Amino acid sequence: EVQLVESGGGLVQPGGSLRLSCAASGFTVSSNYMSWVRQAPGKGLEWVSVIYSGGSTYYADSVKGRFTISRDNSKNTLYLQMNSLRAEDTAVYYCARAGPAAPRSFDYWGQGTLVTVSS
Amino acid sequence: QSALTQPASVSGSPGQSITISCTGTSSDVGGYNYVSWYQQHPGKAPKLMIYEVSNRPSGVPDRFSGSKSGNTASLTISGLQAEDEADYYCSSYTSSSTHYVFGTGTKVTVL
């Protein structure tokens, strides 16, 4: 069974850093496209970042230069390193898998982890 | 990369059909058959309902269907049911450097 479990969210001050983790089971992270998607309180979904199976990475303009997506193949885990955090980064962060049958769609999602940026 | 445009809300009575539009550009919706639709109930993670414009994942009722014409994609829910009340988001692959974009979201209300 495919499962994605995020962790690492919490309260952080503006300018601070946080690393989110997404532990996967039931499939191999490195063989799939994996993304982070966020949702600010009461707002819509915003795509954040993707890491392709070949290792290429891409970012939304709003986080480029501040966030870094990576994976640990030995732990089958996806990460999002978030630096220089701003109040507008406050959101629930979801990791999502782009399924092998439809690599431009997100077929499995984690439960989300809340990041709050506030002093 | 701007978000794809969706109506803020759509409503219908049980048994009726409703359609949600998703308007983009030739760089995203119009340029690729990579439009997806997601359903999100309050406090829950999104669920994939349609992929590649018109394909339904296993387990999604055939009341849900997708289509595309030019730069606008559509999700139709036929035979509306109470459990269909949720937020719906479209997404598309885009040729911009960001690669993915979501729609603004539509709240579906079952009257």
Side-chain angles (χ1 to χ4, degrees):
Chain A
E1 180 191 6
V2 171
Q3 279 196 324
L4 296 168
V5 179
E6 300 99 336
S7 60
L11 175 64
V12 61
Q13 292 188 339
S17 298
L18 212 54
R19 189 179 80 156
L20 305 183
S21 300
C22 172
S25 57
F27 74 101
T28 302
V29 165
S30 61
S31 298
N32 291 267
Y33 301 174
M34 298 293 299
S35 269
W36 289 96
V37 177
R38 69 184 180 183
Q39 187 170 35
K43 302 298 184 182
L45 300 175
E46 180 187 15
W47 176 80
V48 173
S49 182
V50 64
I51 182 167
Y52 289 125
S53 50
S56 301
T57 59
Y58 295 88
Y59 300 90
D61 291 341
S62 57
V63 307
K64 200 172 296 183
R66 300 187 299 122
F67 290 12
T68 302
I69 190 172
S70 64
R71 65 191 181 208
D72 184 328
N73 297 343
S74 66
K75 296 183 178 179
N76 208 33
T77 298
L78 179 73
Y79 300 101
L80 186 68
Q81 177 67 44
M82 304 185 296
N83 299 331
S84 303
L85 282 162
R86 307 165 180 167
E88 54 264 37
D89 296 318
T90 294
V92 173
Y93 284 74
Y94 297 99
C95 67
R97 185 189 85 162
R104 300 302 182 184
S105 301
F106 306 118
D107 61 350
Y108 283 94
W109 298 65
Q111 84 287 353
T113 187
L114 177 63
V115 172
T116 303
V117 184
S118 174
S119 55
Chain B
Q1 176 65 52
S2 299
L4 306 175
T5 301
Q6 299 180 232
S9 63
V10 173
S11 62
S13 300
Q16 286 187 329
S17 293
I18 62 169
T19 297
I20 303 168
S21 61
C22 169
T23 301
T25 70
S26 58
S27 296
D28 38 64
V29 173
Y32 306 91
N33 288 326
Y34 289 135
V35 176
S36 306
W37 290 91
Y38 301 88
Q39 176 192 67
Q40 187 181 35
H41 287 107
K44 301 295 187 182
K47 175 186 176 183
L48 178 65
M49 304 301 284
I50 296 287
Y51 67 94
E52 292 176 358
V53 176
S54 59
N55 295 295
R56 277 188 313 276
S58 175
V60 172
D62 60 7
R63 304 184 289 104
F64 292 86
S65 63
S67 63
K68 189 185 84 167
S69 178
N71 295 338
T72 299
S74 299
L75 173 71
T76 298
I77 308 175
S78 305
L80 198 61
Q81 298 184 5
E83 60 261 35
D84 299 333
E85 186 163 291
D87 294 324
Y88 291 82
Y89 296 91
C90 62
S91 78
S92 175
Y93 176 77
T94 167
S95 59
S96 77
S97 61
T98 58
H99 284 212
Y100 291 88
V101 61
F102 278 97
T104 50
T106 299
K107 181 175 181 59
V108 168
T109 301
V110 181
L111 301 171

